[in-house]
Amino acid sequence: MDLASGSRLQRLPYKPLDACRSEIRVLSFEPPSTPDDLSSRLDRILGQSLGPLRLTLEHVSLDDFKPEYTTFRTESPTQWSRSQVDDAWCKQFEYEPESTSPDMFRTAARFTWGDYTAISYMWGSPEDTKTITINGIPVTVGQNLASALEYLRSSHVDKVWVDAVCINQDDAEERSAHVTRIRDIFSQSLAVTVWLGEDEMSGTGLVSWVETLFDKLRLCNTIRDTYDRQTLEAALGIDVKAWESDHSYEELEDFPFSEDVLYFDNDWSADSDTDDEDDVGTPHFRDVVALALFRLAENPYWTRLWIIQELAVSPIRSTVNWGNSSVPLRVVLTLASIFCNHILDGSALDSRVVTIISPFVQLLNSIGQWQKSGVLSSDEDGLKGTALADLRRLAESAQCTLPHDKVFGLLGLLPQAVSSGIMIDYNQDETELSSQFAAAISGAIENCGNLEGAGMYALQDVPGKGKGLVAIQKISKGTRILSEEPIITIARNRLNGERPQISIYQQVASLNEHQQRAFLSMHNIHPYEDAAERYLGIFKTNSLPAEAVGDTGAIFLEACRINHACDNNAQKNWNEKIKRHTVHALRDIDEGEEITITYLGPLKNRRARQKALQEKFGFTCLCHLCSLPPEQSQESDRRLEEIHRLDGVIDQLGIEGILVSPLRTLLYFDQQVHLYRDQGREDVGFAQAFVNAAQLAIANGDLARGRIFAERAASVWKTTVGDDDTQAIKHGALAQDPSKYELHGVSTKWKTKVDEVPQGLEPSDFEDWLWRREKPNGLGNLRRRENFPGFIDLPDENDIDLEFYTSSNTGSYRPRRHWCFLGEIVDFATLIRLQMEIKDVDGTTIPLYFYTGGRGNLPTATA
C-alpha cells in the first residue's frame, strides 16, 4: 500500500468507514454498456471489447460472515490458521488450492455480501494514467491499476480491494488507520492478486517471453501437484538418488512434459553431439527454471516494501499475474525455497544468474516461510527471532515513496505488543521514527530469546502431555529449529541447600514480566512450600544442559517446552561456540507433528527407559517406539542392546583395538552403523560411529577411507548439531586433511593415499570396499575372518572379551559363541617335542608347541 504515492484521483464523495463493524470499501464491476447484439455477446465471451471500466464502490463489513461459514470456523481445529480454515472451506466446494475460478468467489463466498480479492501491485508513474468510472464519476487512476482491473473484470472476479481507490487518500487520519489494517485486509481476502503489469508482447502476434516463462512455472506447479515436492526437486537435479529410492520412472511415463526433458541427474551438464563450441545441447531443466526466475526477478514489482507484508499474510489461493499469464503464488514460493536452500550455494548456475536471482529468492523464501507458518494469522501474533532480523534486512533494500513507510509498511508483521508502541503519524520526524522502530525490533528479539525457528512451530496443547512445540510447517531434516540463550543457570550437582534457592530466586526476580510468566507456567513435579522451592522445582523438572562438558543446567523459554519421546525427531545440544542451546531436526518433521527430544542418555531397552522416566520425571512414555507390538518391540530392544554392548566392547579394546586388531574393530563400527540405520536413528551416536571408523583408518595409514569416514561424520554432525558446532567444524577439517589426526602414521598396515578411492563401483560394492568387508564365499573360504579369526582376535584366558563372553545375572560369564583357529603350517620340527610355525589369516607367524607324553610321537602299538 504505497500511500499518497503515484497517480492522484479525481475526488470521490467518500463516506467515513465504521471501525466498529470492521468496514472496508470494495469495488464491484458493472455490466458492460456495449450493445446487446450477437456480435457484442461474442466479443464478451472472447474477453474482447468489454467497453470502458465502470465500477461501483461500496462499504462492506468483514464481520458479516455467512452463518454456515461461522459454524465451519467454529468447528475447525483450533490450531488451524485463518488461511487453513479458508482453504478447507473452499475444498468442500471441490475447489483445489491452485483454483481461483471466478465461480469460487460466488460459490465459496464467506460473507453475506460475497467475497473479494486484494490487489498487490505498483502504482507506476504519475504521468501514466487512465480514466475509469466509479459510481458514475470519471476518475483518473494509474495505467497499471487500470490494466489490473481490466484483467480481473475479464476473469469475472466478484469484488476487489485496491488501496488507491478503497482508501480515501485525501484523509490523513484514514490513511494512517489503514497502516495497521493492511494485514487484516490482505489476509482475510479469499485470494491476493499479484499484478506484475501488462505483457508488452500481447497482441503483437509474436511469441510472448512472459507466456514462455510462465509455461515453465506452470510445469513446475503441475509436477508438484501431480507427484510431490520431492519429484520437483529431483527434476531440478536435487537428491536424485533419494527420489529413485522412493519412486519409479514408470510413474512419469504418461506425464506430458512438453518439450522440456527432465534430466534426473544432479551431476548432469549440458552436452552436444556436435563439435560446435557454441552448441551446448539441451539445457538442464534446472537452468530452464532458473532463467524463468531470472526474468521474473527483473520485474520492479519485487522491490516494493509493502509487498513483504501483503504476500506474507496472503491466502493459499493467491496468484501471480503478468498480462494474461497466471500461476499460483505458492509454486513461485516453493521454487524460491528450493533454489535458496539447495541450488544457489552450489556451482550449477551461471554466476550472473545467481547474482540477479539471489536477493529475489531470499526475499520470497522468507515470505514463503512466514506465509506457510500461519504465525501472522492472529492479530496478536507476529514474527519473532531471526525472522525479525531477516525482515529488517529485507526492508533495507526495498523501496517505497515515503520514507515513513520503511517503518509503517512493516508494522503489520510485528506482534501487536510491539507495533502498538509506535505512533503512526506521517508528519513525525523520520529519524525519531526509525529510532523507535529499531528499539522495538531489538526488544522483540530480546524477549523472544530464540534466534532460529520463528514460524516453524507453535506452543500448543498436546494430548496427554500438556503444552508442547508443534510444527506448523514441514521442517526438513537438519534444520536448526531453535538457537536460544538461557534465562536461568545453576550447577545441577549443587541443587540442595539454601544457596541454590537464593540464586534462583534472584534470577527469577531479574526476569522481565514476559519471561517470568513463561517460566512460572512450566510444569513442576516437585512439592514446594514457598516461592524459592517452587522455582527450584520448576528448574529441576525442566532444565537442559548449558555446558558441553560439565553439569551446568539452564532454563530456556522455548527449548524447555519440548516434550520427550524415545523415538525423538529432534536433537538437543549445547553449542559451546555460540553459547546457545540448539535443537535440530533429525528427520523431516511433518506439519502438525509434535517436535520431541529425548530426556535420556543412550537409549536402552523399553523396560529400562520406562523405569528411568518414571523415576526422574514421573511419567510413562507412550511414544511410537514404546507402543510397538511385542515382537517389534523386542527386535528394537535387541538392536539397542547390541549397540550398547558394542560400545562396551570398543571401549574395552581401546588403543589395542585400533592398532593390533583394526579389522575386527572396524567390523564393530560397521555393525553399529547398520544397527543405527535399522533402528531409524541418525543421532550423535550414529555420528560417533563414523568418527571412530575415521580415526581407526587414519591411525593405520588409510587416508582414503579415513577421509570418507570423516566426511560422513561431519555430515551427520552438521545435521544433528549444526555446522557451527565444534564437532562439525573439527571433523570437516579432518575430512579436508586426514593426515592432521594425531595418531596418523602410528601404523602403516593399511597405507593409502587420500585420493586412492576406487571409481565406478556400485554403491554396495563401494560400501564393501570402504568397510573392508569380505565377500561371503561359503564355509569353504578358509581365509574368511568371520569364520576363522586371526590369532590376535581370539579370546585371552586372562581377559573377559565381551565379543566372546556375556555376563549373567549372577555376575558370572558364559560363552557368547563358539570359535576355532585355523592356521597354515609353514614349518615344523620334532626334537624334544613337536614344534610348528603357524601362519594365521593376517599373515602373522606364531610358534605352536605340543606337550604330550610321547613328546609328539604316536604311541607304538604292542602285542
Side-chain angles (χ1 to χ4, degrees):
M1 183 188 72
D2 295 307
L3 297 176
S5 65
S7 305
R8 300 295 298 164
L9 299 170
Q10 291 187 15
R11 292 184 180 277
L12 281 172
Y14 286 101
K15 295 180 180 179
L17 294 168
D18 187 346
C20 295
R21 297 186 65 244
S22 298
E23 279 191 347
I24 62 171
R25 301 183 186 94
V26 293
L27 290 167
S28 301
F29 295 99
E30 295 181 5
S33 57
T34 51
D36 192 24
D37 54 23
L38 183 60
S39 175
S40 298
R41 291 179 185 177
L42 181 60
D43 284 342
R44 288 197 292 271
I45 292 173
L46 296 175
Q48 301 171 351
S49 301
L50 294 177
L53 273 171
R54 302 179 64 86
L55 303 105
T56 300
L57 184 66
E58 58 183 316
H59 287 213
V60 296
S61 169
L62 293 179
D63 292 336
D64 286 348
F65 293 119
K66 289 181 177 178
E68 55 269 36
Y69 176 73
T70 301
T71 301
F72 184 84
R73 287 182 64 186
T74 304
E75 294 175 350
S76 298
T78 56
Q79 68 268 27
W80 278 11
S81 67
R82 178 188 295 156
S83 183
Q84 288 173 309
V85 172
D86 289 345
D87 184 44
W89 166 260
C90 291
K91 281 182 178 177
Q92 69 177 348
F93 299 101
E94 299 183 353
Y95 291 114
E96 291 304 313
E98 69 275 7
S99 173
T100 52
S101 166
D103 293 336
M104 183 179 70
F105 284 88
R106 290 182 285 272
T107 307
R110 300 160 298 162
F111 303 96
T112 56
W113 45 265
D115 225 314
Y116 72 103
T117 182
I119 307 178
S120 177
Y121 71 113
M122 289 188 69
W123 280 52
S125 169
E127 287 76 35
D128 195 4
T129 62
K130 186 173 183 178
T131 300
I132 62 175
T133 301
I134 301 176
N135 291 349
I137 301 172
V139 175
T140 302
V141 298
Q143 175 63 48
N144 196 41
L145 172 56
S147 300
L149 292 172
E150 288 277 14
Y151 169 78
L152 290 173
R153 176 172 65 166
S154 64
S155 300
H156 305 288
V157 169
D158 190 18
K159 289 179 171 58
V160 174
W161 185 94
V162 59
D163 58 355
V165 178
C166 297
I167 299 173
N168 184 356
Q169 299 293 332
D170 292 325
D171 187 336
E173 185 176 342
E174 181 176 315
R175 284 169 46 207
S176 296
H178 270 78
V179 166
T180 57
R181 296 199 67 194
I182 291 298
R183 172 167 159 176
D184 279 341
I185 291 170
F186 275 80
S187 65
Q188 289 200 56
S189 67
L190 195 60
V192 168
T193 299
V194 175
W195 179 251
L196 302 184
E198 293 183 281
D199 179 359
E200 296 176 355
M201 302 296 290
S202 179
T204 64
L206 302 175
V207 176
S208 167
W209 61 265
V210 171
E211 183 63 30
T212 300
L213 81 85
F214 269 70
D215 279 344
K216 311 309 177 188
L217 300 178
R218 281 191 288 266
L219 177 57
C220 291
N221 188 58
T222 304
I223 295 171
R224 187 205 57 188
D225 285 351
T226 306
Y227 302 103
D228 51 24
R229 173 167 170 154
Q230 186 186 27
T231 302
L232 175 57
E233 290 182 351
L236 295 168
I238 302 164
D239 288 339
V240 176
K241 293 189 182 300
W243 182 90
E244 290 173 338
S245 66
D246 297 335
H247 297 268
S248 166
Y249 281 100
E250 294 177 357
E251 299 174 26
L252 308 177
E253 287 183 354
D254 298 327
F255 188 80
F257 284 124
S258 179
E259 73 276 8
D260 295 303
V261 180
L262 306 186
Y263 293 92
F264 279 46
D265 179 359
N266 199 33
D267 298 323
W268 185 91
S269 58
D271 57 10
S272 173
D273 294 331
T274 72
D275 295 328
D276 185 354
E277 293 182 358
D278 295 329
D279 185 357
V280 295
T282 305
H284 194 293
F285 185 64
R286 172 192 56 239
D287 300 318
V288 172
V289 176
L291 182 58
L293 293 177
F294 178 89
R295 302 302 299 269
L296 198 64
E298 290 183 312
N299 190 294
Y301 165 86
W302 307 106
T303 65
R304 285 185 59 233
L305 182 135
W306 281 95
I307 71 163
I308 300 175
Q309 179 179 186
E310 293 166 359
L311 301 189
V313 301
S314 63
I316 294 173
R317 297 169 187 278
S318 302
T319 58
V320 177
N321 307 270
W322 197 339
N324 292 321
S325 301
S326 178
V327 70
L329 171 63
R330 65 180 191 142
V331 73
V332 180
L333 298 178
T334 297
L335 288 171
S337 171
I338 292 172
F339 272 75
C340 195
N341 295 309
H342 299 290
I343 295 178
L344 291 187
D345 290 340
S347 57
L349 297 179
D350 184 279
S351 60
R352 292 167 296 178
V353 175
V354 172
T355 300
I356 294 295
I357 71 172
S358 286
F360 170 68
V361 298
Q362 288 169 6
L363 167 69
L364 292 187
N365 181 52
S366 295
I367 288 174
Q369 290 178 353
W370 304 336
Q371 184 210 56
K372 191 174 181 182
S373 72
V375 71
L376 298 168
S377 294
S378 167
D379 292 338
E380 293 78 24
D381 215 341
L383 301 181
K384 312 184 245 185
T386 49
L388 286 173
D390 289 343
L391 177 62
R392 185 162 51 185
R393 174 179 53 80
L394 294 171
E396 288 175 355
S397 58
Q399 299 177 7
C400 49
T401 305
L402 298 179
H404 296 77
D405 284 339
K406 281 276 188 176
V407 174
F408 296 158
L410 304 176
L411 290 186
L413 298 174
L414 304 182
Q416 190 178 61
V418 178
S419 61
S420 60
I422 297 177
M423 181 176 64
I424 302 171
D425 181 1
Y426 279 93
N427 295 317
Q428 68 178 301
D429 182 73
E430 300 165 20
T431 304
E432 182 181 345
L433 176 63
S434 297
S435 298
Q436 288 181 20
F437 182 66
I441 292 286
S442 299
I445 293 176
E446 180 182 347
N447 282 336
C448 175
N450 170 36
L451 292 186
E452 291 294 335
M456 294 185 196
Y457 59 83
L459 182 65
Q460 297 180 1
D461 291 323
V462 179
K465 294 184 178 181
K467 297 286 187 180
L469 298 192
V470 177
I472 54 177
Q473 66 177 65
K474 182 177 179 179
I475 303 175
S476 300
K477 177 181 176 181
T479 299
R480 176 167 288 177
I481 303 171
L482 279 171
S483 173
E484 193 173 10
E485 290 182 339
I487 61 167
I488 298 172
T489 58
I490 299 179
R492 291 192 287 188
N493 59 355
R494 298 177 182 175
L495 292 179
N496 298 320
E498 185 178 349
R499 180 170 295 181
Q501 291 189 26
I502 295 174
S503 173
I504 194 168
Y505 189 88
Q506 292 173 340
Q507 290 187 65
V508 172
S510 68
L511 301 177
N512 62 42
E513 183 179 351
H514 164 76
Q515 293 170 329
Q516 285 185 4
R517 190 165 54 249
F519 173 72
L520 294 175
S521 68
M522 292 182 181
H523 188 53
N524 183 9
I525 64 172
H526 301 280
Y528 60 87
E529 295 183 357
D530 55 34
E533 287 187 357
R534 179 190 179 191
Y535 300 165
L536 204 57
I538 294 174
F539 182 89
K540 291 178 179 178
T541 305
N542 298 279
S543 64
L544 292 170
E547 275 186 322
V549 178
D551 201 44
T552 299
I555 292 295
F556 305 89
L557 288 185
E558 301 198 26
C560 289
R561 290 290 194 176
I562 305 178
N563 290 317
H564 165 87
C566 296
D567 58 349
N568 52 301
N569 54 26
Q571 176 74 51
K572 69 179 188 294
N573 178 63
W574 173 257
N575 189 312
E576 191 64 32
K577 284 189 71 67
I578 62 174
K579 301 295 183 183
R580 286 177 169 271
H581 187 88
T582 63
V583 176
H584 289 78
L586 289 175
R587 58 170 175 78
D588 289 350
I589 302 174
D590 292 329
E591 181 180 345
E593 182 180 356
E594 184 186 10
I595 299 167
T596 56
I597 58 177
T598 177
Y599 295 172
L600 304 174
L603 287 185
K604 299 181 181 178
N605 62 56
R606 181 180 180 277
R607 179 175 295 180
R609 297 196 306 269
Q610 294 290 7
K611 180 181 178 182
L613 290 170
Q614 195 61 242
E615 290 176 351
K616 294 181 179 179
F617 303 100
F619 69 85
T620 299
C621 183
L622 299 175
C623 71
H624 174 73
L625 183 61
C626 291
S627 305
L628 290 173
E631 287 188 8
Q632 295 180 32
S633 182
Q634 291 169 11
E635 180 60 22
S636 171
D637 286 349
R638 182 199 66 77
R639 288 191 293 265
L640 293 171
E641 288 171 352
E642 182 64 7
I643 291 172
H644 184 65
R645 184 190 71 80
L646 288 171
D647 280 336
V649 172
I650 293 164
D651 288 343
Q652 187 182 53
L653 288 172
I655 192 67
E656 179 183 335
I658 293 177
L659 300 176
V660 180
S661 52
L663 197 62
R664 178 171 62 149
T665 308
L666 186 62
L667 172 65
Y668 297 155
F669 300 149
D670 189 7
Q671 290 173 346
Q672 282 193 317
V673 168
H674 272 287
L675 290 165
Y676 274 112
R677 282 178 172 152
D678 291 345
Q679 186 68 16
R681 293 192 66 81
E682 296 189 8
D683 55 12
V684 293
F686 184 64
Q688 190 60 47
F690 286 117
V691 170
N692 294 339
Q695 293 174 346
L696 181 144
I698 299 169
N700 285 276
D702 192 345
L703 296 181
R705 290 178 176 83
R707 176 179 64 83
I708 295 170
F709 285 134
E711 286 175 348
R712 294 187 179 185
S715 176
V716 180
W717 283 123
K718 288 177 182 178
T719 298
T720 55
V721 296
D723 57 10
D724 56 358
D725 185 83
T726 303
Q727 292 288 357
I729 295 170
K730 174 183 176 181
H731 293 97
L734 186 64
Q736 292 294 320
D737 187 359
S739 67
K740 295 294 186 182
Y741 177 51
E742 57 192 13
L743 292 182
H744 171 244
V746 173
S747 167
T748 57
K749 183 180 296 185
W750 293 346
K751 187 175 181 180
T752 64
K753 295 180 180 178
V754 74
D755 58 351
E756 288 184 21
V757 178
Q759 304 297 318
L761 294 181
E762 291 294 322
S764 60
D765 293 331
F766 183 82
E767 293 300 307
D768 289 342
W769 168 84
L770 179 64
W771 293 100
R772 293 183 176 270
R773 299 173 189 153
E774 294 181 345
K775 291 281 189 178
N777 192 22
L779 290 176
N781 183 1
L782 302 183
R783 301 196 66 81
R784 189 176 177 206
R785 291 172 177 80
E786 185 177 341
N787 298 326
F788 304 105
F791 187 81
I792 194 66
D793 293 332
L794 291 175
D796 189 324
E797 63 180 351
N798 298 318
D799 245 341
I800 299 299
D801 191 332
L802 297 180
E803 172 66 11
F804 295 94
Y805 293 95
T806 184
S807 61
S808 65
N809 294 331
T810 62
S812 61
Y813 289 85
R814 58 183 177 82
R816 176 182 296 277
R817 64 183 177 87
H818 298 287
W819 61 88
C820 65
F821 172 73
L822 184 68
E824 177 187 357
I825 302 173
V826 296
D827 197 5
F828 72 93
T830 55
L831 298 174
I832 300 176
R833 63 184 66 82
L834 178 60
Q835 177 180 340
M836 295 182 181
E837 293 290 320
I838 305 296
K839 183 186 291 185
D840 69 3
V841 70
D842 293 321
T844 303
T845 301
I846 56 171
L848 185 63
Y849 301 93
F850 288 84
Y851 293 88
T852 65
R855 295 185 177 180
N857 295 317
L858 291 174
T860 304
T862 57

